[in-house]
Every structure is written in C-alpha cells, then in structure tokens.
Amino acid sequence: MRAYAANVYTSVVEELTRGQQRRFIAVEQEFFRLWWDGVASDQQKHQVRQLLDEGRLEFVLGGQVMHDEAVTHIDDQILQLTEGHGFLYETFGVRPQFSWHVDPFGASATTPTLFALAGFNAHLTSRIDYDLKAAMQGAQGLQFVWRGSPSLSAQQEIFTHVMDQYSYCTPSHIPFSNRSGFYWNGVAVFPEPPPDGVYPNMSEPVTPANIDLYAEALVANVKQRAAWFRTAHVLWPWGCDKQFFNASVQFANMDPLLDRINRRAAELGVSVQYATLGDYFRALHALNVTWHTRDHRDFLPYSSEPFQAWTGFYTSRSALKGLARRASALLYAGESMFTRYTWPVPRGSLDPTWALWQLQQLRWAVSEVQHHDAITGTESPKVRDMYEEHLASGMLGVRKLMASIILDGRRPGPGAGARQTAPGTSSGYFASVYNPLAWTVTTIVTLTVGFPNVSVTDESGHPVPSQIQNSTQTPSAYELHILTTIPGLSYRHYSIKPTAGAAWEPAATMAARVLRFGRRPKTRTSHGGRRLMPVANDCYTVLLDEDTNLMHSVWERQGNRSVHVTQEFLEYHVNGDVKQGPVSDNYMFTPSAAAVPTWEAVGMEVVAGRLVTEIRQFFYRNMTAQDHAFAIYSRLAHVPQGHDGQLLCQRIEQEYRVGPLELNREAVLRTSTGLDSQQVIYSDNNGYQMQRRPHLAYANNSIARNYYPMVQSAFIEDGGSSLVLLSERAHGVSSQGNGQVEIMLHRRLWNNVDWDLGYNLTLNDTSVVHPVLWLLLGPRPVMAALRQRSGLALQHRPVVLFGELTRSALKPPGPRQPEAVTLPPNLHLQVLSIPGWNYSSSHTEHVQNLQKGQRGQAQADLRRVLLRLHHLYEVGEDPVLSQPVTVDLEVSLRGLGSVEAIEERSLTGTWDVSALQRWSWRTDAGYHRGDSPPPSRLPGGPTITIYPKEIRTFFIHFRQP
C-alpha cells in the first residue's frame, strides 16, 4: 500500500488531469478504498469524480479484489463483488460494466453467469492453457460469446475476450535495449522508494534518437497481434504488475511515442489512442460482427508450459482455505440472525451500528481472501498471517454479535461472546444452536465438555438424545454429540449438566463403548475377506477388514448394492532442485512419478454409540513409530425413530488428520472403488455447476494436468451407482485410475528457484490440517437429488454458541421465536442480510443526491433487506427438483414481518433489473443474445418463479410495526 498502490492512485489522478487524451482503468476496490478513505485529499477526491464523469478514469470489474476462479465458492465471489460494487455506487453512483480478470490461474464456467448477472456487457480474461490459446490464436477464436450454464437462457451469456500469448503485460522485450521494455517507471521498491528516485529496471527514456525505434517496435507487436483477431481494433495493454506508481514518468514517455506513431500512421499502417476497456468494447460492439459461441466448458486446469501445470494451488495452504470457508459460513449465519433480530422489530437493546460494524469487518475479511493470491495459497507466510488475522478478528466479532442476540432475549443488555470449549468445573453449560439454512435440518452437533457424565435437556426441560465419548483432540476432555432438529433460520437451546452417571437419570447421556484393534502391517494380506467386521446404520453397512484395518466395502440400502471401497494415504515425492528438472511450488504441481503409500501399518478403534458410531484409523509410517502420521475418523449416524434424518443417515462423515509432512511431499487420500467409472470424474465449478473431466493423455506432466479444482463436490459413477464426495474447503481432485478418486489434502515444499526464494513462496508448510469430507454412495438419481442439499448442509452446519450456565441463562427463553423461514427443497437462501447501504434505490435520486454533495441518509438503512435466492438444480438433473419453483415472498418471509415492497435487483444490488439493458452480441446461431429477459421476470407482485440454476436478487422492504 505504501510503496505501490497509494502512489498509483495519487500519481495517476494527477497525471490524468494534465492531459485530456489520457485514460486509466482501476480494478480492485480494496486498495482504492484504502487510498480514498485514508490518503486522498479533498482536491484529489474532486478530481476523481470529475475524471469518472468524463470517462477518462474507469472502474472495471469493481469487486473488492480480482478473485480466483478455481478454488473460490460462488457465494464468496458474489459477496466480494457486492462489497466493491456497493462502495462504488454509494460513493460515485457508477456501476462497472466490464470485467477485467487477467490474472486468475484458469477460468471457470461460473464466470460468464456471475458477470452477466452483475450487469457486465463484456468480459476479458487471459490465463488459459498454453496449447489451447495457441490453437485459438491461429483460428482467430480468442473472442466469442460464452454461455456459462447449460440451464440458463441467453441472458446469462457474455461476450468474452481472451488475451493473446503476451497476456496482460506490455511486451517486455525490445531489440535495442536490455531494459524491461515499455516500463519507464521501473519496478516498485518495498517498503519505501529509493532515496535517489531511480527505480530498478527503468526503461531507456524516449528521446529524439530512439523514438522511431520505440514506435516501430510497438507497431510491429500490434501487427503481430492483429493477425490473431478478427477486427481492425487491437487491444494493447500498457502496464503490468506494480506499474504506474510513478505515473508522471510513464505518461511523459508514452505521450510523445503515441503522437509519433499517429504522425506516421499512413506509413506505418497503424493509429493508436489511449483507451479504457469500455472504449475498446464499445468500438468492437459497434461493428456488429457475428461471433462464435462457446458452451458451458471451463478453462481448467491452466498450464503455462508443458511442465508448468498450475494445479498445486488447488490445495496450497489448506489451513487458510479451511479458515476462509468457515469464516464465510459464520458470516452467512450472522447476517440472517441479525436480520431476524431486527425484523419485525428489534427485541432488545443491541446497538445496530455496532452490529453492522461486526458484520462489515467479516465481509471485508472474507472478500479480500478471495483474491487470486490469497485463498489460492500463493502468498508469502507474512501475508498469509495477515489474512488469517483479519478472518479470525472478524469471526470473533460476529460470534460476539450472535451471542449477544441469543442472550438479549434471555437477559437485558448485549452479552459477551460465548466460549466454544469450557473447562468443565462449573455446574453446567448453556448451548444455543442456530440453523442458518432455510430448511428444517436434523443433524448431530458436537461439543467439547470437561466431564464424562452429563444430562442434556431442551428449552422445555425434556431429555434430548445424546452420546458422550473421549475426545480425539484433547485427551482430558470429552466429545458430546447431541441430536437436534431445527427449523429454518431458527434456534434450539440446550442445558448440559454434570451428573453422577446413573443410567436411570432421565436425561442421562449414554457413553459410547470402544473396540480396539491392534496395529496391522501393510504386508499382511486379507484371508479371502473372511474377517470382515460390519459397522452399520439404516442406510449403509461399512465392512472393515480386520486383517488390514482398512475399509473393504460399503453396502448401500437404497440400491441394494455392495461396492468395493478402500481408502489409503499416499504421497507424491517432488523435486526441489531446478538443476534436476521441473519443481513443484505454491502454484504448480510437478510430480516426477506416481504417488507411493505413506504408511507401513494401520491401527483402528471403533467407538460404538446409540447416536454415532465412529471408525478411527491411524496410519503409521512404520511398525515401530510412536505417533501416527495420518488418521481417518469416519462417522455413521443412527437416527432415532420419529426424526426425519434422510440427509443425516445417507452420508459417511470423515475427518482427516494430515501433517506435518516431510519436505517436498504432497499428500493425497485415494479412494478406490469397484465402480466402472472409465476414469471419468466430475468436479464442480465454484459449488455452482459440475464439469465432466475425462482422463486425458498428455506427453508431459500427465498426472498434474489431470488434476482439477474441487470446491464443494466431486463424484464418479457407473451405470448404476454414484460415489459423491463433498468438501468444506477446496482441494485438488483427480481420477488416476478406473474407479478411483484422489484428493490432495496437504503440501509441503521447498525449492531453489530464485523467484520463489525471493518472495518466500517455497511453501514450507509444517502445519497439521483437519479437512472434512462427506461420502455419499447410492443410485445415480438418488445421489443427484442429495448432492446439492448435502453440500450445503456441510458448508452451513448449525452454529453452536456454547458457554457456562448462569442464573440468567437458566431462565426460560425470552419472547417466542418468530415463525421459521422455509423454502422449497430446490431453493437455497443464498443471502438474507441488512447491507446497511445508504443510497436510494432510485438511480436518478441517488445521482442527484451525489451531485448535491449528499450521500443519502446519515444512518445506515436498516429497512432494506437484501435477499438472494438460488435454484440448486440443472435442467434434467432430477424429475421433480429440476422443475421451476414458484414462491410467494410475502408468505415465505412472514416470519420477519409484513412485506411492504419488493424490488428485483442485479446480482450485486446496484441495478434495478427493469433498467438493466445489457448489450446484444450477434452470434452464429443467427440472433442476438443478452437482450431478452427470461420468462421468469413476472411484473409486480410477491409471487415469483425461479428456473433451474437461476440466481435472483431482491431488496425487501418491510412495513414498520
């Protein structure tokens, strides 16, 4: 910020005011907002507004960051775009109309849908596979209309421009200079500028002696690129990473060079002008060319060269990936809880300004970590620490907010944060459990307590099914499992008290019993499957091989089919010496050979209880190792009669312990099955849609180039059954053999590449990670119906607020909970929040207020509720759940109060959809796309119809009581 970003905005704004011909585009709002709020003078702010009005400064993309496309969840992509767009619209009344996504490491098919819904007219990307890009260049196919989803109408297509082989930077090589090319301001120096003002790698200045050499080099490059595109307009990006921090030098050299080319235009055959991205796309659109279309395929994985497959970052810094998703889930729960608390009327003394600030801090922390050098794990340890600090601080604030809301109904005044783990020396505990999903959820929540004998009762004093067992994490503590059924956006409250342990006590918790099996060596073979031990619930029977302590097979009830399933840990041994060949790093995965098993022996325990049976498998590097290197904890739930536990029963929950790894190892969990999958795996784009991934043969680096991102789900299938894996964080996933699913869980690397050493990007990650996967096995139609809802049940597990009981907490609950919010099973409540924006919903009124120097109301608008609904299913995925669904918003939201007005908005809320007219682009299908509203846009009224894969956004205004 000090050395680079602040100086970009300060010097660029100054230079733009000095030349009417000059232009500049700005992309990410996190840095701009920091400059605007903490650095910019009143004069600079006035200049920015004037430049925006004149179109000479243009915000493109406009999110808080340029998010990664491979390992981010669509909900978080939308959040960070919404935060950036809300700031820009509230501050300037501008709405970005073009997306600039040049640096993410591969392109997701979610992107065209996302950016079309945000109101963008065209999209620009850059990093796609090197050989595909070469083929597209040769066929003049780098520009096309991209349809992101197979289920959506033409409304969700977007014109897409892929940058050519030079990517987004000015070509650095010029034949007459050994400097960096066209970068006259050099490279930024951190943390302070050089005392003499001379920056490294400054290009040779433009002088009368060399200006023609510069001009001819630039023109030659423009003509080379022109052959790769279909029109006479060539986009030539000027700049690169950390450029324009000394814009006076840059523009002073660019101005005469452009002028010289234009004076020689007739001779050179090229004319040039400064342009924003909007200027370029407007010129292109005006030509009314007919473009090819591209279907819903993504551009993943990304390889920049034969041995540079950028598939390692799918797993790098697994702990950060897990923390980012937990923070997102907590934010999601906190948003709806605060909205429910505020409407129809605040029921206590909570300060809404304080509450909004807690939510805002976590919104920003979750938004910034979506950056393509954040959640990807491609940052230095110091920067990772910053992300983790921001996330942890934001999560603490939102937990305090949620605890205050809970306690506000039980005692006067805002409360303090609740503890998740209590020491166990008091007279008992109080726990509140909040369900953030808009469906009734039956699940098992797990608490850590300090005593072995407890009773659990609900709000009415009735006993609750529960189970207690020794903790896997803390030897002196106990894990308490509680069965809970919670309506949508509602709470359950539980009292947990120590007891004498007598079984006759009415609410006594049953203790699990432990069966221990000796350590088994890998060399031991099973005797024809004769020693198989079953672990069963109402949906599955898992057979464990007592000769190996490995899983042997799974019988699933619905399909009445037994499938061979076994799991083990393996590691890829990778090279760390560039003199010996390609290396793996934060970004790239470059294995030299197939993965090898990491273990020589496996120990096992089976913890059997009335609610949960847990299989604990411990993998040792050798028979004499004292500590295990890896572990799998598998749970099967036993749902008592009278509870709707379909989702709970039909999953095998697994948590892993992985690490610390040895150096230059990449650890994977390989699940081998009897399914004839033909080595085809399906993995998701951003938790939104699935991509079919056949195993492809490559001459080089074939293992790594067959790895794909798994953000939330992956599956393999044959003619009858599917094995689905669901995840609470991003991983790399592959099928390296028929019937196999291989998930990379952790990486620890070091290499001697100068770049990696200089930026501390060797990924010497010594952490222990605890990722979670849920396994679902069954008939293909059943799995297709369960996958989406189960994935959300994993992502948005109930939030447990757990603290010691006090006299006030022992009192009966406060006012009766409002009515639950319940949506049909194929609709997801993607967000329910009070953003706090203070701009008018009327664009005309908002612009007039800005012109008057007003920024809307002085206080945040608590009356405006942001609602976003997402249809979970693709067309044809399920005969019932894939149908359009009609809901009456007044009925669905009556638990929050009486709806006064409903406005349908663009994805990020800044456009009224009735005023949003995206550009039409003529395609080879013979008609324009992007200009006709889909049939679901019904005029007026609270009843709406949502079609498969649609995401629709609304402002809801409630009637004041």
Side-chain angles (χ1 to χ4, degrees):
M1 180 64 191
R2 265 176 27 217
Y4 165 57
N7 290 329
V8 169
Y9 291 115
T10 296
S11 65
V12 163
V13 167
E14 179 180 357
E15 290 307 311
L16 290 182
T17 61
R18 292 180 173 176
Q20 282 295 315
Q21 81 281 14
R22 295 172 174 177
R23 301 286 187 274
F24 198 80
I25 60 170
V27 184
E28 297 172 308
Q29 295 316 302
E30 175 136 1
F31 275 122
F32 179 81
R33 188 200 299 256
L34 289 170
W35 176 79
W36 181 262
D37 289 340
V39 178
S41 65
D42 288 343
Q43 180 185 9
Q44 288 168 330
K45 290 182 177 182
H46 173 74
Q47 290 171 335
V48 167
R49 294 183 190 278
Q50 185 172 353
L51 291 167
L52 288 170
D53 288 343
E54 295 172 1
R56 299 197 295 114
L57 173 64
E58 180 177 79
F59 289 110
V60 295
L61 185 63
Q64 281 287 88
V65 296
M66 188 189 301
H67 65 256
D68 173 67
E69 296 188 38
V71 299
T72 48
H73 196 281
I74 188 173
D75 293 357
D76 300 324
Q77 295 177 348
I78 294 171
L79 169 71
Q80 75 87 17
L81 275 179
T82 300
E83 285 300 299
H85 286 193
F87 164 74
L88 286 176
Y89 190 60
E90 192 173 59
T91 308
F92 304 113
V94 300
R95 298 172 287 203
Q97 296 184 46
F98 308 99
S99 46
W100 174 269
H101 243 228
V102 296
D103 211 12
F105 321 133
S108 164
T110 305
T111 297
T113 299
L114 182 78
F115 289 163
L117 288 172
F120 294 162
N121 287 313
H123 167 56
L124 184 145
T125 188
S126 182
R127 293 187 187 268
I128 67 171
D129 208 76
Y130 72 97
D131 49 3
L132 176 60
K133 178 176 282 193
M136 294 172 74
Q137 270 184 193
Q140 292 188 329
L142 292 171
Q143 295 172 322
F144 49 86
V145 173
W146 190 6
R147 168 171 285 187
S149 166
S151 298
L152 293 173
S153 69
Q155 180 90 358
Q156 274 68 64
E157 293 176 339
I158 197 164
F159 179 83
T160 300
H161 173 105
V162 181
M163 287 190 157
D164 56 48
Q165 68 187 41
Y166 290 104
S167 189
Y168 61 90
C169 293
T170 316
S172 59
H173 174 72
I174 51 177
F176 55 90
S177 171
N178 60 0
R179 302 289 181 85
S180 57
F182 296 84
Y183 307 140
W184 291 281
N185 57 358
V187 175
V189 176
F190 296 90
E192 302 292 348
D196 59 3
V198 178
Y199 290 85
N201 298 321
M202 294 180 75
S203 296
E204 184 178 326
V206 174
T207 65
N210 66 20
I211 191 169
D212 285 312
L213 293 173
Y214 264 119
E216 289 158 10
L218 194 157
V219 167
N221 184 258
V222 167
K223 288 181 175 180
Q224 180 188 16
R225 289 171 141 165
W228 301 330
F229 293 92
R230 295 177 55 207
T231 76
H233 299 309
V234 177
L235 184 150
W236 203 79
W238 209 325
C240 197
D241 296 351
K242 295 182 279 292
Q243 290 294 309
F244 286 90
F245 59 89
N246 195 357
S248 61
V249 176
Q250 192 69 22
F251 277 107
N253 284 276
M254 293 192 297
D255 283 350
L257 180 55
L258 266 61
D259 182 64
R260 185 67 160 204
I261 293 172
N262 287 333
R263 289 178 185 274
R264 295 179 58 189
E267 171 196 351
L268 297 173
V270 169
S271 64
V272 291
Q273 68 180 67
Y274 288 118
T276 65
L277 188 60
D279 291 334
Y280 172 72
F281 280 131
R282 276 185 285 272
L284 210 61
H285 184 252
L287 298 176
N288 202 23
V289 172
T290 298
W291 303 99
H292 296 301
T293 58
R294 181 181 175 88
D295 64 14
H296 56 279
R297 291 168 293 162
D298 63 11
F299 292 95
L300 293 165
Y302 164 59
S303 291
S304 53
E305 295 177 22
F307 286 100
Q308 294 194 346
W310 297 48
T311 56
F313 79 91
Y314 300 160
T315 305
S316 296
R317 301 208 190 284
S318 177
L320 176 63
K321 286 175 165 65
L323 179 63
R325 289 278 286 279
R326 289 195 300 276
S328 170
L330 182 66
L331 174 63
Y332 174 80
E335 296 276 19
S336 64
M337 183 186 274
F338 176 63
T339 303
R340 295 221 74 185
Y341 172 86
T342 304
W343 289 100
V345 64
R347 288 176 285 281
S349 57
L350 193 65
D351 179 4
T353 302
W354 174 82
L356 281 176
W357 177 245
Q358 306 311 311
L359 293 169
Q360 187 65 73
Q361 291 299 101
L362 189 52
R363 288 174 194 159
W364 288 350
V366 173
S367 292
E368 76 177 6
V369 81
Q370 307 311 313
H371 187 275
H372 59 272
D373 277 313
I375 196 170
T376 53
T378 56
E379 69 285 329
S380 70
K382 184 165 60 175
V383 178
R384 174 209 59 199
D385 292 346
M386 180 200 73
Y387 290 130
E388 291 182 346
E389 179 185 339
H390 290 180
L391 289 167
S393 175
M395 291 173 75
L396 179 62
V398 169
R399 288 193 69 85
K400 286 182 177 179
L401 166 62
M402 297 177 76
S404 297
I405 291 172
I406 294 288
L407 293 174
D408 212 40
R410 306 176 74 89
R411 67 184 185 197
R419 290 189 303 188
Q420 187 69 22
T421 302
T425 57
S426 71
S427 60
Y429 307 112
F430 163 72
S432 287
V433 185
Y434 178 69
N435 171 23
L437 293 171
W439 311 309
T440 297
V441 168
T442 296
T443 192
I444 294 170
V445 296
T446 302
L447 314 179
T448 302
V449 297
F451 34 73
N453 302 304
V454 299
S455 66
V456 182
T457 54
D458 63 16
E459 308 93 328
S460 303
H462 297 141
V464 176
S466 55
Q467 171 184 324
I468 199 161
Q469 62 196 46
N470 289 333
S471 171
T472 59
Q473 304 293 332
T474 309
S476 61
Y478 302 87
E479 291 175 353
L480 175 63
H481 302 303
I482 301 173
L483 181 70
T484 183
T485 296
I486 319 175
L489 274 57
S490 300
Y491 322 91
R492 295 299 306 273
H493 304 290
Y494 299 101
S495 294
I496 301 147
K497 298 180 181 178
T499 68
W504 49 263
E505 295 190 38
T509 295
M510 297 296 292
R513 59 190 181 91
V514 181
L515 304 175
R516 291 184 172 87
F517 299 79
R519 199 178 293 192
R520 304 285 189 259
K522 183 172 61 176
T523 53
R524 185 168 178 171
T525 58
S526 177
H527 302 291
R530 290 192 297 271
R531 288 164 47 86
L532 298 179
M533 186 184 73
V535 175
N537 67 1
D538 289 341
C539 297
Y540 297 117
T541 298
V542 176
L543 294 174
L544 302 168
D545 189 334
E546 293 186 47
D547 293 313
T548 63
N549 284 341
L550 296 176
M551 187 184 295
H552 174 274
S553 55
V554 178
W555 176 80
E556 51 89 8
R557 178 180 298 275
Q558 285 200 279
N560 190 24
R561 181 181 179 185
S562 183
V563 178
H564 172 74
V565 180
T566 188
Q567 294 181 302
E568 63 173 334
F569 292 101
L570 301 96
E571 286 178 336
Y572 287 99
H573 294 202
V574 294
N575 171 43
D577 184 356
V578 291
K579 296 179 181 178
Q580 303 299 318
V583 298
S584 284
D585 62 12
N586 291 45
Y587 304 87
M588 281 166 281
F589 172 39
T590 314
S592 56
V596 296
T598 62
W599 53 278
E600 291 293 336
V602 182
M604 184 170 67
E605 298 175 353
V606 176
V607 183
R610 69 173 182 176
L611 276 186
V612 174
T613 294
E614 184 169 282
I615 305 161
R616 301 173 178 175
Q617 295 164 290
F618 307 103
F619 291 74
Y620 298 87
R621 290 196 182 274
N622 56 66
M623 279 297 291
T624 59
Q626 183 175 356
D627 298 319
H628 57 270
F630 302 89
I632 304 175
Y633 305 97
S634 304
R635 288 181 179 177
L636 273 73
H638 311 290
V639 184
Q641 287 189 344
H643 294 268
D644 180 12
Q646 180 199 27
L647 290 182
L648 179 58
C649 176
Q650 288 192 270
R651 63 189 185 231
I652 301 170
E653 300 183 5
Q654 293 193 321
E655 180 178 338
Y656 314 97
R657 182 194 182 279
V658 184
L661 301 180
E662 297 176 352
L663 201 58
N664 286 328
R665 300 290 188 267
E666 315 203 30
V668 301
L669 173 80
R670 181 175 290 170
T671 302
S672 301
T673 77
L675 298 180
D676 184 17
S677 64
Q678 303 293 308
Q679 216 170 340
V680 173
I681 190 169
Y682 295 78
S683 74
D684 66 321
N685 278 160
N686 314 111
Y688 178 70
Q689 65 195 59
M690 303 303 292
Q691 295 279 325
R692 183 177 184 272
R693 317 287 197 183
H695 192 276
L696 302 176
Y698 294 99
N700 300 308
N701 212 14
S702 186
I703 294 173
R705 295 186 76 176
N706 277 287
Y707 254 82
Y708 297 92
M710 169 187 172
V711 175
Q712 184 168 287
S713 60
F715 66 85
I716 59 173
E717 62 185 12
D718 61 13
S721 299
S722 293
L723 174 69
V724 177
L725 294 91
L726 303 170
S727 177
E728 39 68 82
R729 71 186 70 180
H731 299 281
V733 66
S734 184
S735 181
Q736 296 289 335
N738 189 32
Q740 287 184 359
V741 180
E742 180 175 297
I743 295 181
M744 189 177 290
L745 298 178
H746 203 13
R747 315 176 76 216
R748 183 185 175 192
L749 307 169
W750 188 91
N751 65 63
N752 57 358
V753 177
D754 289 342
W755 166 271
D756 290 344
L757 292 173
Y759 288 92
N760 200 359
L761 294 179
T762 59
L763 200 64
N764 190 6
D765 186 346
T766 59
S767 65
V768 177
V769 296
H770 300 273
V772 172
L773 292 176
W774 287 0
L775 278 60
L776 286 65
L777 177 66
R780 291 170 59 186
V782 176
M783 294 298 99
L786 284 178
R787 179 177 52 81
Q788 292 279 18
R789 288 169 56 82
S790 296
L792 285 167
L794 173 56
Q795 178 71 19
H796 297 295
R797 288 166 283 186
V799 176
V800 180
L801 297 162
F802 185 30
E804 292 192 33
L805 282 173
T806 63
R807 289 184 179 274
S808 57
L810 281 166
K811 295 176 183 177
R816 185 176 65 84
Q817 282 194 49
E819 184 178 343
V821 175
T822 304
L823 291 175
N826 49 2
L827 280 191
H828 171 44
L829 183 69
Q830 199 267 346
V831 75
L832 180 72
S833 79
I834 297 174
W837 296 318
N838 57 20
Y839 60 75
S840 169
S841 294
S842 165
H843 180 66
T844 301
E845 182 178 318
H846 177 52
V847 171
Q848 289 173 347
N849 287 336
L850 287 173
Q851 291 170 346
K852 296 174 186 175
Q854 303 170 2
R855 286 186 57 192
Q857 306 163 2
Q859 297 292 324
D861 184 359
L862 297 178
R863 294 186 63 247
R864 177 166 43 203
V865 172
L866 177 67
L867 170 72
R868 192 175 291 119
L869 299 177
H870 171 197
H871 194 302
L872 293 172
Y873 291 85
E874 298 277 7
V875 168
E877 197 168 20
D878 183 89
V880 175
L881 295 171
S882 292
Q883 296 301 313
V885 58
T886 299
V887 292
D888 186 325
L889 293 179
E890 284 187 348
V891 173
S892 298
L893 300 176
R894 63 189 173 195
L896 280 78
S898 180
V899 174
E900 185 176 75
I902 301 171
E903 305 172 57
E904 183 156 12
R905 308 290 293 189
S906 62
L907 184 71
T908 59
T910 55
W911 289 89
D912 181 331
V913 293
S914 64
L916 179 57
Q917 296 294 325
R918 294 177 58 239
W919 291 356
S920 303
W921 295 84
R922 187 177 295 278
T923 72
D924 49 14
Y927 57 89
H928 293 278
R929 299 184 178 223
D931 58 347
S932 58
S936 59
R937 309 281 183 217
L938 301 179
T943 301
I944 60 167
T945 300
I946 303 183
Y947 287 76
K949 300 311 291 184
E950 273 197 323
I951 301 174
R952 295 179 66 180
T953 303
F954 304 89
F955 286 162
I956 309 294
H957 299 268
F958 291 99
R959 192 169 291 115
Q960 294 279 13

